Amino acid sequence: MPLQARAFPDYAAALLSAYEEEVSGEAYFAALAGMHLGRARDALTLMAEMERATARALEPLLEAADVRPADRPALFEEGRAEARDLAGRDWHDLLTEMRDDYGAYVAEFEVVRAGAPEALRHHADLLVAHEVAIIDHARAELAGDPDSLAPLRRYLAQAKSV
């Protein structure tokens, strides 16, 4: 059953969830990278970098909304624990999940983008763009595209420009 987008009571709750999941996501993808080799490791390492860059991009939104996230070490442990639960899962299955389920995150992140102050909306744009890049990578990798890492690299270059 495909992952369904969650509904949040307000912008602040959606923003908090997005930020905390980016922080835990960094640890999640880094831990998964340690469980894989080759292209999978390369892609997962880039995804961990993307999560870190996206979390940083969201910090001005948190400050503007006066939102206080959970402790980073606790969020990192959540991400590592989630990755441990997937130990032994093969790369193809992870890619299939990214391709088929991560669209729910895009829908959630659109809520953040819609609620972001206009002057800071470009930060929320990165939140949406990073998830789209992961989905694009998964589609390309599953199709055998030798340049499947390109969407991840493009996103990181985009995030560095903000």
Side-chain angles (χ1 to χ4, degrees), residues 62-80:
L62 292 173
E63 187 175 324
D66 197 29
V67 171
R68 304 276 184 257
D71 183 59
R72 286 181 72 81
L75 294 170
F76 270 44
E77 182 49 38
E78 284 179 25
R80 286 189 293 269

Side-chain angles (χ1 to χ4, degrees), residues 3-28:
L3 186 66
Q4 298 296 312
R6 297 167 291 181
F8 296 97
D10 56 30
Y11 163 73
L15 174 61
L16 178 63
S17 176
Y19 177 81
E20 290 182 345
E21 289 177 5
E22 294 310 303
V23 173
S24 67
E26 177 185 350
Y28 169 77

Side-chain angles (χ1 to χ4, degrees), residues 2 4 12 35-36 43 66 70 95 101-102 112 117 123 131 134 144 146 151 155:
Q4 298 296 312
M35 299 175 194
H36 289 82
D66 197 29
L95 288 167
D101 289 351
Y102 282 23
V112 174
H123 292 276
E131 207 67 33
I134 291 172
Y155 171 80

Side-chain angles (χ1 to χ4, degrees), residues 19-88:
Y19 177 81
E20 290 182 345
E21 289 177 5
E22 294 310 303
V23 173
S24 67
E26 177 185 350
Y28 169 77
F29 286 120
L32 286 177
M35 299 175 194
H36 289 82
L37 301 171
R39 287 178 67 79
R41 177 175 283 195
D42 294 344
L44 292 163
T45 299
L46 288 170
M47 289 177 203
E49 292 174 30
M50 292 170 66
E51 299 289 289
R52 181 174 48 255
T54 305
R56 271 196 310 267
L58 293 178
E59 288 170 357
L61 293 169
L62 292 173
E63 187 175 324
D66 197 29
V67 171
R68 304 276 184 257
D71 183 59
R72 286 181 72 81
L75 294 170
F76 270 44
E77 182 49 38
E78 284 179 25
R80 286 189 293 269
E82 188 177 345
R84 282 191 299 272
D85 290 345
L86 297 178

